[in-house]
Amino acid sequence: MKKLLFTFLTFLAIACSQENYNKEAAISVTIKKDELQNFNPIGNPIIVTLKNNSNKISPIWVMNCDYNQNFITDNKEIGFPAIDCDKNIPKLYNLKPLEEKKIKLYLIYNIGSVKTKFKIGFLMNKESTFDKKNQKEKIKIIWSNQLSI
């Protein structure tokens, strides 16, 4: 009986961890230049698309104006400008299967950077709180495709 219970609990643990992994991996991130805008060294717009690739509703939390708490780059030369905002609060998007959420972000980078390549990481937060102290426990980074500016 103990072996049967142990086997059941082992399979349950594996199934739960696989479900959590799949839930987090269900979101994909793609980036592209905003073709409607001309690029200049300050405030270059890009479109970030968060897509739910699973067959279940996937909740994601996004801050309504301070995107530095949701996105990072893999290149030190590229960052996000500070945005003036009255109230920066997390907003929940429950993405349905195959649904996309498009967000326009602005980039800043050094004028001397020619054909700089970068990726954007989406900090997928499991909760509505964006506490940097416990960031490793609550946040998973999902990286986008590579883009050149």
Side-chain angles (χ1 to χ4, degrees):
M1 185 67 174
K2 287 183 182 181
K3 284 184 180 181
L4 182 61
L5 181 60
F6 176 75
T7 304
F8 173 75
L9 291 175
T10 302
F11 283 124
L12 183 62
I14 290 170
C16 289
S17 66
Q18 188 67 26
E19 181 180 326
N20 288 338
Y21 173 78
N22 289 337
K23 187 175 181 182
E24 291 173 359
I27 299 295
S28 65
V29 180
T30 55
I31 57 175
K32 68 177 186 174
K33 295 177 185 177
D34 185 352
E35 302 299 335
L36 301 176
Q37 302 282 332
N38 290 329
F39 269 54
N40 59 47
I42 299 174
N44 292 298
I46 62 166
I47 304 297
V48 176
T49 303
L50 305 172
K51 182 178 180 183
N52 179 4
N53 295 313
S54 75
N55 59 359
K56 296 179 181 179
I57 292 176
S58 185
I60 60 169
W61 291 95
V62 179
M63 298 303 285
N64 72 324
C65 56
D66 186 4
Y67 293 125
N68 286 315
Q69 291 183 318
N70 286 110
F71 299 97
I72 58 172
T73 68
D74 69 342
N75 187 325
K76 295 178 193 173
E77 301 291 319
I78 298 174
F80 305 106
I83 297 173
D84 190 26
C85 151
D86 292 337
K87 190 174 185 181
N88 188 36
I89 57 172
K91 181 168 182 174
L92 176 63
Y93 294 97
N94 285 309
L95 296 182
K96 296 174 187 165
L98 304 176
E99 185 178 12
E100 297 179 342
K101 170 67 180 154
K102 294 184 186 273
I103 299 171
K104 184 184 280 193
L105 295 181
Y106 293 90
L107 301 175
I108 53 175
Y109 64 93
N110 186 347
I111 294 174
S113 300
V114 177
K115 287 291 182 187
T116 302
K117 294 179 181 180
F118 69 98
K119 291 181 183 180
I120 296 222
F122 173 62
L123 304 172
M124 179 122 174
N125 202 336
K126 298 176 185 176
E127 298 178 10
S128 65
T129 58
F130 286 80
D131 181 13
K132 297 207 179 213
K133 291 178 186 176
N134 298 323
Q135 196 171 33
K136 290 181 182 177
E137 297 169 10
K138 297 179 187 175
I139 295 178
K140 174 180 172 58
I141 300 173
I142 303 170
W143 290 99
S144 71
N145 56 303
Q146 192 172 58
L147 190 65
S148 296
I149 55 172

